[in-house]
Amino acid sequence: MDRTSLSAALADWRFVHEFALTNVQRGWLNSTVFWSYGLVQMPMGWLVDRYGVKWPYAIGFSLWRLAAAATGAVTTLEALILMRLIIGAAEAVVIPATYRYLADHFEETRKGTALGIFSIGGKMGPALGAPIAAWMITAGSWKLMFVATGLAGLLWLAPWLRMVNNDHRSGKELAVARQRAASVPLRNLLASPVVWGGLITNFCYSYFAFYCMTWMPAYLVEQRGLSLEKSGLYTFFSFVGIAIVAALAGWASDRIIARGADAVFVRKLFVIAGFVGGTTVLLGAYTPSAGMALFWNVLSLSLLGLATANNLALSKLILIPKQAVGLNTGLQQVATSLAGGVSASLSGWLLHLGGSYRFPMLAIFSFLLLGATSTAILFRRKWAPKVNDLELTLPAAAQTGCECR
């Protein structure tokens, strides 16, 4: 919701006028959160591998909610950029912590379903955020919208602290966790083609998703003539579509794997189908009909949902040693956040260069084809990251193997 709330504000002429923003500046402002988000991903992954999920997540969450609310009080472009940088850095804990938790608590035949459910949150946030933000801006102001959505998120903190157990309750457990995590250092991850395949596919997937979060409202208003409220509604439909397809695709792949099919092969097929389906976004760019443009807009992002959970399972869980899930996820999230920054800023530059949204959508088309190719070639069990013999010094009960070994 934080990401689409700014996008809705950037489609509001009052917000743009107050900060005197050009198209290029709008692109850079949209991208700001992703630069700090990417920079802190790997330290967060290192942290949750060694110190668990509960408290790092709670502290990061609290900080980014307060920064989101404070966005409504800023009066200068510099202060606005600072708030976005704080949000990105604090938000960086989310994905490494989530995958650390999933690796510890879910078997292979349940991971696709779990990831599909988790992905609903990531997609329903933009889906609900776009129309809610647009309505609040229209009915009140962009300042009220930022304050209200920022503070409302804090309601999540109470059940989180009450219901989630701390991973490591003693000094001995912490020592074991630190030693276990050291058995797969960063150099082993960087030497693996599987990890590089994940970096490419996560960049390509996220490039399209973040374009929709950051530029879709402006595209619908400026090129297709929709009102701000209707642009939020169609953004809602697009992200609901990808959320539903992601959950169903994760569940379906789990069922196929449970019947004896190879997990890597099945998930690769779903990922490739999702990337190829997403390329239909280009049909919307070239149709003269506003109705057909909206149809392809919704369909293309929905079809990308075929890749969502299965790509996450491939690049962050199935082929990765459990003891390095947090660090690898942090590394993968560098590519994800880089995609957000590049997508927001490059789309703004291409829009400035070409005067229409066709150039930004051609870039999306190219990255999706690259993602499909990378999936087909690089995700192989024999290329999974290696585990050092250091893990043999751990107590037997503390050792956790890699499902791919």
Side-chain angles (χ1 to χ4, degrees), residues 54 101 160 162-167 169:
K54 182 174 183 176
Y101 187 87
W160 171 261
R162 182 176 178 83
M163 298 172 67
V164 177
N165 294 325
N166 199 12
D167 303 66
R169 300 186 181 184

Side-chain angles (χ1 to χ4, degrees), residues 36-390:
S36 57
Y37 183 70
L39 185 65
V40 187
Q41 286 290 328
M42 287 182 62
M44 288 297 187
W46 182 93
L47 186 71
V48 299
D49 277 342
R50 287 158 176 78
Y51 298 99
V53 172
K54 182 174 183 176
W55 288 106
Y57 205 146
I59 294 169
F61 179 83
S62 301
L63 180 59
W64 112 61
R65 300 316 311 152
L66 294 173
T71 304
V74 301
T75 57
T76 66
L77 180 59
E78 291 77 13
L80 183 60
I81 291 172
L82 176 61
M83 290 302 104
R84 301 304 292 177
L85 288 172
I86 293 173
I87 291 171
E91 220 179 271
V93 71
V94 175
I95 303 299
T98 299
Y99 284 87
R100 174 76 269 157
Y101 187 87
L102 291 175
D104 289 341
H105 296 281
F106 289 85
E107 300 172 355
E108 179 53 47
T109 55
R110 299 173 64 215
K111 285 177 180 173
T113 303
L115 286 165
I117 294 170
F118 169 68
S119 298
I120 290 175
K123 302 303 180 290
M124 287 302 295
L128 294 171
I132 289 174
W135 174 78
M136 293 186 74
I137 291 172
T138 303
S141 69
W142 62 267
K143 295 182 179 182
L144 173 64
M145 181 271 295
F146 280 121
V147 172
T149 56
L151 294 180
L154 288 172
L155 295 173
W156 172 87
L157 196 58
W160 171 261
L161 293 174
R162 182 176 178 83
M163 298 172 67
V164 177
N165 294 325
N166 199 12
D167 303 66
H168 312 304
R169 300 186 181 184
S170 69
K172 184 177 180 180
E173 288 176 326
L174 281 172
V176 169
R178 288 195 295 267
Q179 190 175 7
R180 183 184 65 181
S183 66
V184 188
L186 179 60
R187 62 178 178 273
N188 289 25
L189 296 178
L190 294 176
S192 168
V194 166
V195 172
W196 285 100
L199 290 170
I200 295 171
T201 58
N202 281 297
F203 180 93
C204 295
Y205 174 96
S206 299
Y207 187 95
F208 185 18
F210 285 134
Y211 167 83
C212 293
M213 290 184 194
T214 56
W215 279 103
M216 186 187 292
Y219 160 72
L220 295 175
V221 170
E222 296 169 2
Q223 186 152 322
R224 294 302 176 180
L226 272 65
S227 66
L228 182 59
E229 295 92 331
K230 287 186 177 180
S231 75
L233 183 62
Y234 278 100
T235 302
F236 168 81
F237 289 144
S238 296
F239 280 98
V240 167
I242 191 174
I244 293 172
V245 174
L248 292 176
W251 174 84
S253 59
D254 280 353
R255 301 286 67 76
I256 296 170
I257 294 166
R259 292 176 182 174
D262 179 69
V264 174
F265 179 75
V266 170
R267 298 203 191 280
K268 284 174 68 170
L269 286 181
F270 273 86
V271 174
I272 293 170
F275 279 128
V276 173
T279 61
T280 57
V281 69
L282 197 58
L283 298 175
Y286 283 90
T287 181
S289 166
M292 288 304 299
L294 294 171
F295 170 79
W296 290 117
N297 220 42
V298 172
L299 181 66
S300 60
L301 189 60
S302 298
L303 290 175
L304 187 66
L306 293 170
T308 304
N310 291 287
N311 178 58
L312 298 176
L314 271 177
S315 62
K316 298 175 182 178
L317 291 175
I318 297 177
L319 298 174
I320 305 300
K322 283 186 179 180
Q323 52 268 60
V325 165
L327 181 61
N328 174 70
T329 300
L331 178 60
Q332 297 295 335
Q333 286 301 110
V334 173
T336 298
S337 55
L338 179 64
V342 172
S343 177
S345 54
L346 179 60
S347 296
W349 181 76
L350 290 173
L351 175 61
H352 171 75
L353 187 69
S356 80
Y357 284 84
R358 289 184 179 180
F359 281 12
M361 291 188 184
L362 278 169
I364 293 169
F365 178 85
S366 301
F367 282 121
L368 290 175
L369 290 183
L370 175 62
T373 304
S374 175
T375 301
I377 295 173
L378 295 177
F379 286 113
R380 303 185 184 187
R381 292 183 186 275
K382 64 181 181 180
W383 288 341
K386 304 301 180 185
V387 180
N388 291 346
D389 290 339
L390 176 64

